[in-house]
Amino acid sequence: MDSFPERKIIHVDMDAFYASVEQLDNPFLRGKPIAVGGSENRGVVAAASYEARKFGVRSAISGVMAKKNCPELIFVTPRFDRYKEISRKIHKIFYEYTDLVEPLSLDEAYLDVTTNKKGNPSATLLAQEIRQRIFNEVGLTASAGISVNKFVAKIASDYNKPNGQKTVNSNEMIAFLEELAIRKFHGVGKVTTEKMYQLGIFTGVELKSKSLEFLERHFGKSGHFYYNVVRGIHNSEVKSNRITKSVAAEHTFDVNLSSEIFMMEQLDHIASTLERRLKKQTIAGKTITLKIKYSDFTQQTRSKTLPYFISGKGLILEVVKELLYQERMKNSVRLLGISLSNLNTEEKKFVVVQLKFDF
Protein backbone atom coordinates (compact mmCIF):
# COMPACT_ATOMS: atom_id res chain seq x y z
CA MET A 1 0.00 0.00 0.00
CA ASP A 2 1.69 3.28 1.09
CA SER A 3 3.56 4.73 4.07
CA PHE A 4 1.27 7.69 4.66
CA PRO A 5 -0.01 7.99 8.26
CA GLU A 6 -3.68 7.25 8.82
CA ARG A 7 -5.57 10.51 9.08
CA LYS A 8 -8.90 11.42 10.66
CA ILE A 9 -10.82 13.59 8.19
CA ILE A 10 -14.27 15.12 8.62
CA HIS A 11 -16.18 16.51 5.66
CA VAL A 12 -18.93 18.87 6.87
CA ASP A 13 -21.67 19.75 4.38
CA MET A 14 -24.50 22.11 5.31
CA ASP A 15 -28.00 20.88 4.40
CA ALA A 16 -29.59 22.87 1.52
CA PHE A 17 -27.59 25.85 2.79
CA TYR A 18 -28.96 28.87 0.86
CA ALA A 19 -32.55 27.63 1.12
CA SER A 20 -32.13 26.75 4.82
CA VAL A 21 -30.81 30.26 5.59
CA GLU A 22 -33.89 31.75 3.90
CA GLN A 23 -36.20 29.49 5.93
CA LEU A 24 -34.27 30.34 9.11
CA ASP A 25 -34.74 34.08 8.56
CA ASN A 26 -38.32 33.92 7.29
CA PRO A 27 -40.68 31.65 9.30
CA PHE A 28 -43.28 31.91 6.49
CA LEU A 29 -40.97 29.86 4.23
CA ARG A 30 -40.41 27.00 6.67
CA GLY A 31 -41.79 23.67 5.51
CA LYS A 32 -42.49 25.07 2.04
CA PRO A 33 -40.89 24.29 -1.32
CA ILE A 34 -38.55 27.18 -2.12
CA ALA A 35 -35.92 27.88 -4.77
CA VAL A 36 -33.16 30.42 -4.26
CA GLY A 37 -32.42 32.24 -7.50
CA GLY A 38 -34.21 32.04 -10.83
CA SER A 39 -37.87 32.87 -11.39
CA GLU A 40 -40.84 31.26 -13.06
CA ASN A 41 -39.96 33.16 -16.24
CA ARG A 42 -36.19 32.74 -16.49
CA GLY A 43 -32.92 32.38 -14.60
CA VAL A 44 -31.33 29.34 -13.01
CA VAL A 45 -32.01 27.85 -9.56
CA ALA A 46 -29.02 28.24 -7.22
CA ALA A 47 -30.43 26.04 -4.43
CA ALA A 48 -33.63 24.25 -3.46
CA SER A 49 -35.15 23.34 -0.10
CA TYR A 50 -35.71 19.66 0.69
CA GLU A 51 -39.45 20.27 0.29
CA ALA A 52 -38.79 21.40 -3.30
CA ARG A 53 -36.32 18.60 -4.05
CA LYS A 54 -39.13 16.04 -3.64
CA PHE A 55 -40.60 17.49 -6.85
CA GLY A 56 -37.33 17.27 -8.79
CA VAL A 57 -36.33 20.89 -8.20
CA ARG A 58 -32.55 21.15 -7.83
CA SER A 59 -29.68 23.57 -8.43
CA ALA A 60 -28.69 24.43 -12.01
CA ILE A 61 -32.10 23.75 -13.58
CA SER A 62 -34.02 26.63 -15.15
CA GLY A 63 -36.63 28.49 -13.16
CA VAL A 64 -39.19 27.61 -15.84
CA MET A 65 -38.54 23.88 -15.42
CA ALA A 66 -38.53 24.21 -11.62
CA LYS A 67 -41.98 25.86 -11.63
CA LYS A 68 -43.27 23.21 -14.02
CA ASN A 69 -42.06 20.46 -11.68
CA CYS A 70 -43.49 22.20 -8.61
CA PRO A 71 -46.34 24.69 -9.26
CA GLU A 72 -46.37 25.69 -5.56
CA LEU A 73 -42.66 26.65 -5.67
CA ILE A 74 -41.70 29.96 -4.04
CA PHE A 75 -38.76 31.80 -5.63
CA VAL A 76 -36.48 33.76 -3.30
CA THR A 77 -33.83 36.30 -4.34
CA PRO A 78 -30.32 35.22 -3.20
CA ARG A 79 -28.70 37.22 -0.38
CA PHE A 80 -25.03 36.31 -0.66
CA ASP A 81 -23.88 38.75 2.01
CA ARG A 82 -26.13 36.94 4.49
CA TYR A 83 -24.87 33.51 3.37
CA LYS A 84 -21.27 34.70 3.83
CA GLU A 85 -22.10 36.05 7.29
CA ILE A 86 -23.56 32.68 8.37
CA SER A 87 -20.65 30.82 6.73
CA ARG A 88 -18.15 32.85 8.76
CA LYS A 89 -19.90 31.82 12.00
CA ILE A 90 -19.76 28.15 10.96
CA HIS A 91 -16.08 28.35 10.01
CA LYS A 92 -15.31 30.02 13.34
CA ILE A 93 -16.65 26.87 15.02
CA PHE A 94 -14.43 24.68 12.79
CA TYR A 95 -11.30 26.57 13.83
CA GLU A 96 -12.04 25.88 17.49
CA TYR A 97 -11.32 22.22 16.71
CA THR A 98 -8.42 22.41 14.23
CA ASP A 99 -6.41 24.87 12.14
CA LEU A 100 -6.41 22.36 9.28
CA VAL A 101 -9.65 23.54 7.64
CA GLU A 102 -10.04 23.46 3.85
CA PRO A 103 -13.18 25.33 2.75
CA LEU A 104 -14.61 24.09 -0.55
CA SER A 105 -17.40 26.69 -0.65
CA LEU A 106 -19.55 28.71 1.76
CA ASP A 107 -21.35 25.54 2.87
CA GLU A 108 -18.77 22.75 3.00
CA ALA A 109 -15.26 22.10 4.26
CA TYR A 110 -12.74 19.40 5.13
CA LEU A 111 -11.31 19.27 8.66
CA ASP A 112 -8.25 17.24 9.60
CA VAL A 113 -8.76 16.30 13.26
CA THR A 114 -5.97 13.69 13.49
CA THR A 115 -4.55 15.93 16.21
CA ASN A 116 -7.11 18.49 17.39
CA LYS A 117 -7.54 21.31 19.86
CA LYS A 118 -9.99 19.33 22.00
CA GLY A 119 -7.64 16.39 22.50
CA ASN A 120 -10.46 14.03 21.49
CA PRO A 121 -9.24 10.89 19.67
CA SER A 122 -12.71 10.17 18.22
CA ALA A 123 -13.41 11.96 14.93
CA THR A 124 -16.97 10.57 15.05
CA LEU A 125 -17.68 12.25 18.41
CA LEU A 126 -16.04 15.47 17.23
CA ALA A 127 -18.25 15.53 14.11
CA GLN A 128 -21.35 15.06 16.31
CA GLU A 129 -20.23 17.89 18.56
CA ILE A 130 -19.48 20.24 15.64
CA ARG A 131 -22.88 19.55 14.06
CA GLN A 132 -24.66 20.11 17.37
CA ARG A 133 -22.84 23.40 17.90
CA ILE A 134 -23.75 24.61 14.40
CA PHE A 135 -27.39 23.83 15.18
CA ASN A 136 -27.31 25.47 18.64
CA GLU A 137 -25.35 28.58 17.64
CA VAL A 138 -26.48 29.16 14.05
CA GLY A 139 -29.82 27.35 13.85
CA LEU A 140 -29.01 25.19 10.81
CA THR A 141 -28.40 21.48 10.34
CA ALA A 142 -25.27 19.96 8.83
CA SER A 143 -24.27 16.50 7.69
CA ALA A 144 -20.82 14.97 8.02
CA GLY A 145 -18.68 12.18 6.62
CA ILE A 146 -15.76 10.81 8.63
CA SER A 147 -12.96 8.64 7.25
CA VAL A 148 -9.22 8.26 6.77
CA ASN A 149 -9.07 10.30 3.57
CA LYS A 150 -10.86 13.20 1.90
CA PHE A 151 -12.36 11.14 -0.93
CA VAL A 152 -14.25 8.71 1.33
CA ALA A 153 -15.21 11.43 3.84
CA LYS A 154 -16.79 13.46 1.03
CA ILE A 155 -18.86 10.48 -0.16
CA ALA A 156 -19.84 9.53 3.40
CA SER A 157 -21.22 13.02 4.18
CA ASP A 158 -23.92 12.49 1.56
CA TYR A 159 -24.99 9.14 3.01
CA ASN A 160 -27.33 10.17 5.84
CA LYS A 161 -28.43 13.60 4.64
CA PRO A 162 -30.03 15.72 5.92
CA ASN A 163 -28.85 16.18 9.50
CA GLY A 164 -26.89 12.92 9.74
CA GLN A 165 -23.38 11.55 9.57
CA LYS A 166 -21.54 8.40 8.57
CA THR A 167 -18.16 7.07 9.65
CA VAL A 168 -16.15 4.76 7.40
CA ASN A 169 -13.22 3.31 9.35
CA SER A 170 -10.08 2.02 7.61
CA ASN A 171 -11.11 -1.62 8.12
CA GLU A 172 -14.53 -0.92 6.52
CA MET A 173 -13.34 1.28 3.66
CA ILE A 174 -12.63 -1.31 0.96
CA ALA A 175 -15.99 -3.08 1.42
CA PHE A 176 -17.73 0.32 1.47
CA LEU A 177 -16.11 1.35 -1.84
CA GLU A 178 -16.72 -2.03 -3.50
CA GLU A 179 -20.46 -1.84 -2.78
CA LEU A 180 -20.76 1.82 -3.77
CA ALA A 181 -22.69 2.72 -6.94
CA ILE A 182 -20.27 4.24 -9.45
CA ARG A 183 -22.44 7.38 -9.82
CA LYS A 184 -21.79 8.11 -6.13
CA PHE A 185 -18.02 8.20 -6.57
CA HIS A 186 -16.86 11.78 -6.04
CA GLY A 187 -15.38 13.06 -9.30
CA VAL A 188 -17.42 10.73 -11.54
CA GLY A 189 -19.90 12.96 -13.37
CA LYS A 190 -22.85 12.13 -15.62
CA VAL A 191 -20.81 11.64 -18.80
CA THR A 192 -18.21 9.43 -17.10
CA THR A 193 -20.96 7.43 -15.37
CA GLU A 194 -22.58 6.66 -18.73
CA LYS A 195 -19.21 5.65 -20.18
CA MET A 196 -18.54 3.36 -17.22
CA TYR A 197 -21.98 1.78 -17.61
CA GLN A 198 -21.14 1.01 -21.25
CA LEU A 199 -17.96 -0.69 -20.04
CA GLY A 200 -19.91 -2.82 -17.54
CA ILE A 201 -18.80 -0.80 -14.50
CA PHE A 202 -21.76 -0.17 -12.17
CA THR A 203 -20.22 -0.45 -8.70
CA GLY A 204 -16.83 -0.14 -7.05
CA VAL A 205 -16.15 -3.88 -7.22
CA GLU A 206 -16.42 -3.80 -11.04
CA LEU A 207 -14.19 -0.72 -11.20
CA LYS A 208 -11.64 -2.51 -9.02
CA SER A 209 -11.61 -5.49 -11.38
CA LYS A 210 -10.25 -3.33 -14.24
CA SER A 211 -6.51 -2.99 -14.73
CA LEU A 212 -4.67 0.34 -14.57
CA GLU A 213 -3.86 -0.01 -18.29
CA PHE A 214 -7.57 -0.53 -19.11
CA LEU A 215 -8.68 2.51 -17.10
CA GLU A 216 -5.98 4.78 -18.54
CA ARG A 217 -6.85 3.64 -22.05
CA HIS A 218 -10.52 4.58 -21.58
CA PHE A 219 -10.25 7.55 -19.19
CA GLY A 220 -6.79 9.02 -19.78
CA LYS A 221 -5.09 10.55 -16.74
CA SER A 222 -8.27 10.12 -14.67
CA GLY A 223 -7.84 6.35 -15.02
CA HIS A 224 -4.99 6.42 -12.51
CA PHE A 225 -7.19 8.34 -10.05
CA TYR A 226 -10.06 5.80 -10.38
CA TYR A 227 -7.63 2.89 -10.00
CA ASN A 228 -6.32 4.31 -6.71
CA VAL A 229 -9.46 5.64 -5.02
CA VAL A 230 -11.41 2.39 -5.36
CA ARG A 231 -8.54 0.79 -3.41
CA GLY A 232 -8.81 3.45 -0.70
CA ILE A 233 -5.67 5.28 -1.84
CA HIS A 234 -6.14 9.05 -1.76
CA ASN A 235 -3.32 10.90 -0.05
CA SER A 236 -4.40 14.48 -0.67
CA GLU A 237 -3.87 16.55 2.47
CA VAL A 238 -6.38 18.99 3.96
CA LYS A 239 -4.93 22.27 2.70
CA SER A 240 -5.65 25.26 4.90
CA ASN A 241 -4.07 27.60 2.32
CA ARG A 242 -6.12 27.22 -0.85
CA ILE A 243 -4.72 29.03 -3.88
CA THR A 244 -7.29 31.01 -5.87
CA LYS A 245 -7.13 29.85 -9.52
CA SER A 246 -9.59 32.36 -11.02
CA VAL A 247 -11.88 35.26 -10.12
CA ALA A 248 -15.13 35.78 -12.01
CA ALA A 249 -18.34 37.80 -12.22
CA GLU A 250 -21.39 37.10 -14.37
CA HIS A 251 -25.01 38.11 -14.82
CA THR A 252 -28.16 36.45 -16.19
CA PHE A 253 -30.48 38.94 -17.92
CA ASP A 254 -34.26 39.26 -17.52
CA VAL A 255 -34.52 39.92 -21.26
CA ASN A 256 -32.23 38.30 -23.84
CA LEU A 257 -29.73 40.66 -25.47
CA SER A 258 -29.20 40.69 -29.22
CA SER A 259 -27.18 43.91 -29.66
CA GLU A 260 -23.44 44.05 -28.95
CA ILE A 261 -23.89 47.67 -27.80
CA PHE A 262 -26.28 46.58 -25.04
CA MET A 263 -23.91 43.71 -24.22
CA MET A 264 -21.00 46.14 -23.75
CA GLU A 265 -23.13 48.20 -21.35
CA GLN A 266 -23.76 45.09 -19.25
CA LEU A 267 -20.13 43.97 -19.49
CA ASP A 268 -19.13 47.37 -18.09
CA HIS A 269 -21.15 46.62 -14.91
CA ILE A 270 -19.80 43.05 -14.74
CA ALA A 271 -16.20 44.35 -15.10
CA SER A 272 -16.81 46.77 -12.21
CA THR A 273 -17.89 43.87 -9.98
CA LEU A 274 -14.87 41.82 -11.07
CA GLU A 275 -12.50 44.74 -10.38
CA ARG A 276 -13.90 45.11 -6.83
CA ARG A 277 -13.36 41.39 -6.17
CA LEU A 278 -9.81 41.52 -7.51
CA LYS A 279 -8.91 44.57 -5.39
CA LYS A 280 -10.43 43.01 -2.28
CA GLN A 281 -8.15 39.96 -2.66
CA THR A 282 -5.15 41.91 -4.08
CA ILE A 283 -5.16 39.69 -7.15
CA ALA A 284 -4.16 40.30 -10.78
CA GLY A 285 -4.13 37.95 -13.77
CA LYS A 286 -3.03 37.52 -17.37
CA THR A 287 -5.85 35.50 -18.98
CA ILE A 288 -9.23 37.17 -19.59
CA THR A 289 -12.16 34.91 -20.52
CA LEU A 290 -15.52 36.08 -21.83
CA LYS A 291 -18.36 33.64 -21.09
CA ILE A 292 -21.46 33.76 -23.29
CA LYS A 293 -24.60 31.73 -22.69
CA TYR A 294 -27.12 31.93 -25.53
CA SER A 295 -30.91 31.84 -25.33
CA ASP A 296 -30.85 28.18 -26.43
CA PHE A 297 -28.64 27.47 -23.33
CA THR A 298 -25.54 26.66 -25.41
CA GLN A 299 -22.39 28.17 -23.97
CA GLN A 300 -19.22 29.63 -25.47
CA THR A 301 -16.00 31.02 -24.01
CA ARG A 302 -13.44 33.28 -25.68
CA SER A 303 -10.07 33.94 -24.05
CA LYS A 304 -6.95 36.03 -24.47
CA THR A 305 -3.70 35.86 -22.51
CA LEU A 306 -1.62 39.00 -22.05
CA PRO A 307 2.14 39.14 -21.38
CA TYR A 308 1.53 41.11 -18.15
CA PHE A 309 -0.78 41.04 -15.09
CA ILE A 310 -3.87 43.24 -15.02
CA SER A 311 -6.62 43.94 -12.49
CA GLY A 312 -8.08 47.29 -13.58
CA LYS A 313 -11.50 47.59 -15.17
CA GLY A 314 -10.25 49.66 -18.13
CA LEU A 315 -7.75 47.08 -19.38
CA ILE A 316 -10.14 44.20 -18.69
CA LEU A 317 -12.89 45.88 -20.74
CA GLU A 318 -10.47 46.62 -23.58
CA VAL A 319 -9.75 42.89 -23.96
CA VAL A 320 -13.39 41.90 -23.40
CA LYS A 321 -14.52 44.26 -26.20
CA GLU A 322 -12.00 42.62 -28.54
CA LEU A 323 -13.29 39.16 -27.55
CA LEU A 324 -16.94 40.20 -27.95
CA TYR A 325 -16.40 41.41 -31.51
CA GLN A 326 -14.10 38.49 -32.37
CA GLU A 327 -16.98 36.72 -34.14
CA ARG A 328 -20.67 37.26 -34.74
CA MET A 329 -23.19 36.13 -32.15
CA LYS A 330 -25.02 32.99 -33.23
CA ASN A 331 -28.12 33.81 -31.18
CA SER A 332 -29.49 36.22 -28.57
CA VAL A 333 -27.66 36.15 -25.22
CA ARG A 334 -29.09 35.37 -21.76
CA LEU A 335 -25.89 35.46 -19.69
CA LEU A 336 -22.51 37.17 -19.86
CA GLY A 337 -19.53 36.66 -17.59
CA ILE A 338 -15.91 37.75 -17.30
CA SER A 339 -13.20 35.79 -15.49
CA LEU A 340 -9.52 36.40 -14.87
CA SER A 341 -7.14 33.46 -14.50
CA ASN A 342 -3.41 32.75 -14.79
CA LEU A 343 -3.22 34.74 -11.56
CA ASN A 344 -0.32 36.16 -9.57
CA THR A 345 -1.45 33.79 -6.77
CA GLU A 346 0.29 31.01 -8.71
CA GLU A 347 3.61 32.73 -7.97
CA LYS A 348 2.80 32.62 -4.25
CA LYS A 349 2.53 28.80 -4.24
CA PHE A 350 6.21 28.29 -3.41
CA VAL A 351 5.96 30.55 -0.37
CA VAL A 352 2.88 28.69 0.91
CA VAL A 353 4.58 25.30 0.50
CA GLN A 354 7.71 26.57 2.25
CA LEU A 355 5.69 27.70 5.25
CA LYS A 356 4.23 24.21 5.71
CA PHE A 357 7.57 22.64 6.64
CA ASP A 358 8.51 23.58 10.16
CA PHE A 359 11.93 22.17 10.96
Side-chain angles (χ1 to χ4, degrees):
M1 190 102 161
D2 55 61
S3 58
F4 285 83
E6 188 170 291
R7 301 189 185 101
K8 295 175 183 177
I9 309 293
I10 302 172
H11 177 257
V12 180
D13 193 4
M14 300 303 296
D15 299 321
F17 183 57
Y18 296 167
S20 295
V21 172
E22 296 302 333
Q23 290 176 322
L24 175 73
D25 289 351
N26 185 349
F28 171 76
L29 298 174
R30 291 174 196 169
K32 294 180 178 165
I34 73 166
V36 177
S39 73
E40 54 191 286
N41 297 317
R42 60 180 303 109
V44 174
V45 172
S49 67
Y50 281 99
E51 295 87 354
R53 292 182 189 189
K54 292 173 187 172
F55 295 91
V57 179
R58 60 185 189 281
S59 61
I61 71 167
S62 71
V64 176
M65 179 63 73
K67 189 70 174 178
K68 187 179 177 184
N69 289 351
C70 180
E72 302 299 311
L73 190 66
I74 301 168
F75 289 96
V76 182
T77 304
R79 298 178 299 145
F80 289 105
D81 287 342
R82 177 62 172 151
Y83 307 148
K84 286 175 187 173
E85 179 191 347
I86 295 282
S87 180
R88 280 193 291 271
K89 290 180 181 178
I90 294 164
H91 283 79
K92 191 178 175 186
I93 293 171
F94 294 160
Y95 283 106
E96 288 183 33
Y97 291 82
T98 175
D99 288 327
L100 289 175
V101 178
E102 181 179 343
L104 300 177
S105 58
L106 292 178
D107 62 338
E108 63 174 315
Y110 290 112
L111 287 72
D112 187 329
V113 294
T114 312
T115 55
N116 58 81
K117 295 176 181 180
K118 303 294 182 182
N120 190 335
S122 171
T124 299
L125 293 177
L126 285 172
Q128 284 175 352
E129 190 178 312
I130 290 166
R131 289 175 47 241
Q132 189 62 51
R133 283 195 57 190
I134 291 171
F135 182 73
N136 293 345
E137 296 170 35
V138 183
L140 298 175
T141 63
S143 296
I146 305 98
S147 194
V148 296
N149 64 45
K150 287 161 69 175
F151 178 79
V152 179
K154 170 85 172 170
I155 295 167
S157 67
D158 205 37
Y159 237 71
N160 291 316
K161 265 188 164 292
N163 196 24
Q165 66 180 61
K166 181 173 179 62
T167 300
V168 181
N169 294 314
S170 54
N171 60 341
E172 304 166 325
M173 184 170 55
I174 299 303
F176 173 79
L177 290 167
E178 285 180 348
E179 292 170 14
L180 196 68
I182 209 69
R183 61 185 170 79
K184 290 191 174 181
F185 272 67
H186 177 52
V188 177
K190 271 188 179 178
V191 175
T192 306
T193 298
E194 288 301 321
K195 190 171 180 181
M196 287 201 177
Y197 286 172
Q198 289 167 12
L199 294 168
I201 302 170
F202 298 93
T203 63
V205 73
E206 287 141 354
L207 177 62
K208 196 176 177 184
S209 72
K210 304 301 180 186
S211 67
L212 176 60
E213 185 270 332
F214 175 91
L215 292 172
E216 285 183 331
R217 185 167 73 247
H218 288 282
F219 301 102
K221 288 180 182 177
S222 298
H224 190 260
F225 169 77
Y226 301 142
Y227 182 85
N228 278 336
V229 292
V230 77
R231 288 166 172 77
I233 303 168
H234 187 248
N235 299 314
S236 174
E237 295 176 14
V238 172
K239 301 179 182 73
S240 55
N241 294 302
R242 286 175 67 81
I243 302 293
T244 302
K245 297 288 181 71
S246 67
V247 181
E250 61 182 43
H251 185 70
T252 301
F253 310 112
D254 292 329
V255 178
N256 294 337
L257 304 180
S258 53
S259 160
E260 278 91 345
I261 295 169
F262 291 146
M263 290 178 205
M264 276 309 300
E265 284 179 8
Q266 295 298 329
L267 286 165
D268 188 278
H269 297 309
I270 294 167
S272 295
T273 303
L274 180 60
E275 182 185 50
R276 280 197 303 273
R277 290 175 183 173
L278 291 165
K279 282 184 176 175
K280 190 176 180 182
Q281 299 180 61
T282 326
I283 284 174
K286 293 181 179 180
T287 302
I288 300 96
T289 300
L290 172 65
K291 176 181 173 182
I292 304 163
K293 187 178 279 186
Y294 293 100
S295 52
D296 63 358
F297 284 85
T298 57
Q299 191 170 297
Q300 184 183 44
T301 56
R302 305 172 183 177
S303 299
K304 182 176 181 178
T305 299
L306 302 174
Y308 47 84
F309 290 107
I310 66 168
S311 62
K313 174 184 168 180
L315 286 171
I316 290 169
L317 267 181
E318 211 174 281
V319 177
V320 165
K321 186 175 182 179
E322 182 186 327
L323 294 171
L324 182 68
Y325 287 98
Q326 191 172 282
E327 58 181 277
R328 284 183 63 84
M329 295 291 161
K330 60 179 184 178
N331 210 330
S332 59
V333 171
R334 70 188 315 272
L335 175 148
L336 288 170
I338 307 170
S339 65
L340 197 63
S341 56
N342 200 355
L343 305 178
N344 55 356
T345 53
E346 297 292 313
E347 297 183 350
K348 297 174 188 173
K349 271 185 181 176
F350 181 65
V351 178
V352 173
V353 171
Q354 271 192 320
L355 292 173
K356 282 183 186 172
F357 295 96
D358 183 10
F359 294 105

